[in-house]
């Protein structure tokens, strides 16, 4: 199991210590994401006029919105993946059935060839017997 790490990050101009098992790069990316969302919110005059509590709530709502959109996209992709896996399974079954039919047809062709050869030998035999009887 990975060791828990603590790293200092700057969020909205203040230094915070983030802790986690994911690694320094991951934690730094989280801080960068939060800074990006804060910067995005700060582009709104309305946001800048809000008190700190409302700004925090609006920021949390924006992050929750991103989360639910990403989760929805991931769920859709998982469902699509399941559908594609089922289609692949069905196609593999069709290929196997086609191979079995092909093998069966080839076997029948060989049997028919043997029957034709046997009939041709019988014809030759009958013709030679007829020639002797004439």
């Amino acid at each position: 199991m990975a060791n828990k790490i603590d790293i200092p990050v700057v969020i909205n101009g203040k230094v915070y210590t983030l802790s986690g098992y994911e690694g320094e790069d991951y934690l730094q990316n989280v801080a960068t994401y939060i800074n990006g969302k804060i910067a995005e919110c700060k582009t709104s005059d309305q946001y800048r006029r809000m008190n700190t509590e409302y700004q925090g709530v609006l920021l949390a709502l924006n992050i929750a919105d991103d989360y639910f959109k990403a989760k929805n996209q991931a769920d859709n992709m998982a469902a699509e993946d399941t559908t594609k896996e089922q289609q692949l399974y069905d196609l593999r079954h069709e290929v196997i059935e086609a191979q079995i039919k092909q093998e069966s047809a080839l076997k029948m062709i060989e049997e028919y060839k043997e029957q034709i050869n046997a009939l041709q030998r019988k014809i030759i035999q009958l013709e030679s017997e007829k020639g002797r009887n004439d």
Side-chain angles (χ1 to χ4, degrees):
M1 189 161 138
N3 294 330
K4 188 175 182 180
I5 63 165
D6 298 328
I7 66 161
V9 296
V10 177
I11 297 175
N12 200 25
K14 294 181 184 175
V15 177
Y16 295 91
T17 299
L18 294 185
S19 298
Y21 296 98
E22 292 82 2
E24 190 172 330
D25 287 345
Y26 176 82
L27 295 174
Q28 194 62 51
N29 284 337
V30 169
T32 300
Y33 171 77
I34 296 297
N35 281 322
K37 291 309 285 183
I38 291 170
E40 183 182 313
C41 287
K42 282 184 175 180
T43 62
S44 165
D45 288 334
Q46 221 174 357
Y47 176 83
R48 288 192 306 262
R49 286 192 294 261
M50 293 178 180
N51 67 35
T52 307
E53 182 181 350
Y54 282 116
Q55 286 179 345
V57 170
L58 184 60
L59 180 63
L61 287 170
N62 274 274
I63 292 169
D65 180 54
D66 286 352
Y67 166 77
F68 283 109
K69 285 177 181 173
K71 185 179 182 320
N72 187 39
Q73 184 179 9
D75 291 346
N76 289 341
M77 291 173 81
E80 187 177 310
D81 208 27
T82 300
T83 301
K84 288 184 181 193
E85 284 178 12
Q86 183 62 46
Q87 289 173 342
L88 182 60
Y89 177 82
D90 293 345
L91 287 172
R92 285 181 177 154
H93 256 86
E94 287 179 28
V95 167
I96 290 170
E97 287 176 10
Q99 287 173 334
I100 290 170
K101 286 179 182 177
Q102 180 189 21
E103 289 172 7
S104 176
L106 290 173
K107 187 175 180 182
M108 286 178 66
I109 289 171
E110 288 303 314
E111 289 173 3
Y112 289 151
K113 282 181 181 179
E114 288 175 18
Q115 289 176 4
I116 289 171
N117 287 337
L119 289 171
Q120 285 175 337
R121 285 190 300 273
K122 184 75 170 176
I123 289 171
I124 292 170
Q125 178 188 1
L126 289 172
E127 285 177 348
S128 70
E129 286 176 7
K130 182 181 174 198
R132 279 187 259 162
N133 290 339
D134 287 340

